[in-house]
Amino acid sequence: MPLTRWLAEYAWLPDHAEPTADVLIEAEDGRITAVTPLVGGGAPATGVEVLRDAVRLPGLTLPGLANAHSHAFHRALRGRTHGGRGDFWTWRDRMYDVAARLDPDSYLALARAAYAEMALAGITCVGEFHYLHHGPDGQPYADPNAMSAALVEAAAHAGIRLTLLDACYLTATVDGAPLAGPQRRFGDGDALRWAERVGAFRPENDHTRVGAAIHSVRAVPADQLATVANLADRAGVPLHVHLSEQPAENDACRALHGCTPTRLLADHGVLGPGTTAVHATHPTSADLALLGESRTGICLCPTTERDLADGIGPARQMAEAGSPLSLGSDSHAVVDLFEEARAVELDERLRTRRRGHFSPVELLTAATVAGHAALGWADAGRLAVGDRADLVTVRLDSARTAGVPPVGAFFAATAADVSHVVVDGRVVVADGRHLTVDVPAELRAAIGEVTA
């Protein structure tokens, strides 16, 4: 890949409290090779002539955003679950209806469109929490990883990187009720057979990494948690787990095991710096200490947590306890990492009735470098020499951002303000349009197929 230069009107550089004006960014073979602020707003140290070849990026250029928690097929539910009262559990029934209808071809189409929507929103890497493994009757496809392969192909078409977090899902409840109905296609029988299937899947490309997931303490019996954790640890891959999303999960775990889900995971070796707990909406103070002391990351998904009436997790306490925070769009009620980021701050304001819990840099970190790290891409999420050349440019002249200082973009911009996206040095979005996918048309077609 030849040398490429971009001239950013503003760029948010590592260890800077606010964006820097007039920055020349150079990349070759998908890696950033130079980051040069212009001298006094004039010529770069390397000479004026280099600017002639530079692609100009009006607005604020950020590192690529990382969506650390996605269920791609949930995109089909947007706008379809708001017709009455209910809670997470009634929403889940609607989700199972969609899950029952997907096959590798329809999943490829839906995920391709969903991932392309993410690219339009400035997301350069997604963590797909994947448990839709087998056929509707629970029987494996001829290729037991056909659904995984569909997701890998979808991400390639959309132009973003993928961490496939293959989820172990064995039981329906904390006390071990068997999988039934649409849930049957999630299960592999036991953790060893899950590990065998996951171990056989080795996509040969440079945009995918395969990680592991424990769906929840509802879905993996206590005596099999360590099997999943040990596989992830030996392979050196990320391990993610849904944790304490609902009070009912906490209550059921206490009734059976005499402890919280967090304590159960700790006792079976699941927590640690390679693990990310998703949601953690209802932790005890002891849970927060366990998560923080073990350096377990926490992925917050505020737009889904509010859409499902899950509650508001104690984000500031999580960070102060020592847990790195990342962000996810989860059910894709909204695909907008700017909204997820500011919701972390704004939800804390609602919870505490005080303002000013997170700085813009902390929110940017959660949306970028921390998210990439949680997905196993430690070389992404910063505009720094040696890192992957992921650039996301946000307009500062839209109706939402006009007159807003660049440092305030996280509290003003939306996904609709993303104008330019580069992933590993390749342009994926230009002038607000995806270069290879007609996103609205493909979303309509793919969703129509599984909801008709």
Side-chain angles (χ1 to χ4, degrees):
M1 190 179 296
L3 176 68
T4 306
R5 297 184 177 95
W6 298 273
L7 180 59
E9 181 181 9
Y10 293 94
W12 212 323
L13 305 181
D15 303 319
H16 285 57
E18 57 185 67
T20 300
D22 300 323
V23 177
L24 183 68
I25 302 169
E26 299 175 82
E28 191 169 10
D29 296 326
R31 298 278 175 174
I32 295 174
T33 55
V35 178
T36 310
L38 302 189
V39 178
T46 50
V48 177
E49 62 275 6
V50 302
L51 300 183
R52 297 195 183 106
D53 297 329
V55 177
R56 295 181 181 272
L57 300 176
L60 171 62
T61 296
L62 305 169
L65 308 180
N67 184 355
H69 189 68
S70 162
H71 301 292
F73 75 93
H74 290 190
R75 176 60 180 84
L77 294 169
R78 185 186 297 175
R80 297 176 184 273
T81 63
H82 305 285
R85 295 183 181 273
D87 56 15
F88 168 86
W89 308 101
T90 53
W91 170 89
R92 190 177 72 162
D93 291 339
R94 297 291 300 275
M95 180 265 286
Y96 284 164
D97 290 342
V98 173
R101 302 189 63 175
L102 287 161
D103 59 29
D105 290 337
S106 58
Y107 205 11
L108 169 60
L110 180 55
R112 167 186 157 104
Y115 292 158
E117 181 186 8
M118 293 182 200
L120 286 176
I123 292 164
T124 59
C125 184
V126 60
E128 182 64 32
F129 198 105
H130 172 51
Y131 52 82
L132 194 56
H133 301 309
H134 306 301
D137 60 356
Q139 293 300 309
Y141 292 103
D143 173 3
N145 287 299
M147 297 293 264
S148 298
L151 292 168
V152 171
E153 185 176 352
H157 289 178
I160 66 176
R161 291 191 301 277
L162 169 73
T163 296
L164 185 75
L165 299 161
D166 195 300
C168 187
Y169 198 131
L170 306 174
T171 57
T173 60
V174 172
D175 59 4
L179 301 178
Q183 288 182 323
R184 289 181 298 172
R185 65 186 314 183
F186 307 161
D188 289 293
D190 59 41
L192 290 176
R193 278 178 281 183
W194 166 83
E196 182 179 2
R197 179 182 55 75
V198 176
F201 186 60
R202 297 184 179 89
E204 296 182 0
N205 57 63
D206 60 0
H207 81 279
T208 305
R209 292 181 179 169
V210 178
I214 292 166
H215 179 274
S216 60
V217 299
R218 300 193 312 274
V220 179
D223 62 359
Q224 300 192 56
L225 293 170
T227 299
V228 183
N230 289 340
L231 178 144
D233 184 59
R234 290 195 304 271
V237 300
L239 174 63
H240 287 219
V241 54
H242 289 134
L243 179 64
S244 293
E245 183 177 2
Q246 290 291 320
E249 176 185 298
N250 291 356
D251 295 343
C253 190
R254 286 192 185 94
L256 184 67
H257 298 293
C259 64
T260 66
T262 301
R263 178 79 260 177
L264 187 69
L265 295 178
D267 289 347
H268 288 84
V270 175
L271 303 186
T275 298
T276 297
V278 182
H279 303 303
T281 308
H282 302 283
T284 65
S285 57
D287 291 341
L288 289 173
L290 285 170
L291 293 164
E293 290 168 4
S294 63
R295 299 293 295 166
T296 299
I298 296 175
C299 179
L300 301 172
C301 307
T303 65
T304 291
E305 289 151 9
R306 72 191 185 200
D307 182 64
L308 299 182
D310 286 344
I312 299 172
R316 185 70 254 174
Q317 291 174 253
M318 294 169 177
E320 291 176 352
S323 290
L325 302 184
S326 57
L327 302 171
S329 66
D330 193 2
S331 69
H332 313 314
V334 176
V335 173
D336 188 335
L337 265 288
F338 302 102
E339 177 65 15
E340 304 292 348
R342 64 175 156 260
V344 172
E345 165 67 24
L346 298 180
D347 284 357
E348 275 291 281
R349 295 181 185 185
L350 288 175
R351 194 178 68 84
T352 65
R353 292 183 291 175
R354 289 187 295 107
R355 305 176 81 236
H357 299 273
F358 291 92
S359 70
V361 170
E362 288 178 298
L363 298 178
L364 175 67
T365 298
T368 57
V369 65
H372 287 287
L375 297 176
W377 303 87
D379 56 352
R382 301 180 306 158
L383 298 178
V385 173
D387 271 26
R388 292 175 176 270
D390 292 357
L391 287 70
V392 174
T393 301
V394 180
R395 292 177 55 191
L396 295 177
D397 61 354
S398 75
R400 291 162 294 279
T401 59
V404 175
V407 72
F410 264 83
F411 289 93
T414 73
D417 296 312
V418 172
S419 62
H420 203 84
V421 179
V422 176
V423 184
D424 288 330
R426 296 185 293 271
V427 179
V428 176
V429 174
D431 297 323
R433 298 188 65 180
H434 199 287
L435 296 187
T436 59
V437 179
D438 184 340
V439 179
E442 293 202 15
L443 282 169
R444 282 194 298 270
I447 293 170
E449 183 175 348
V450 298
T451 59

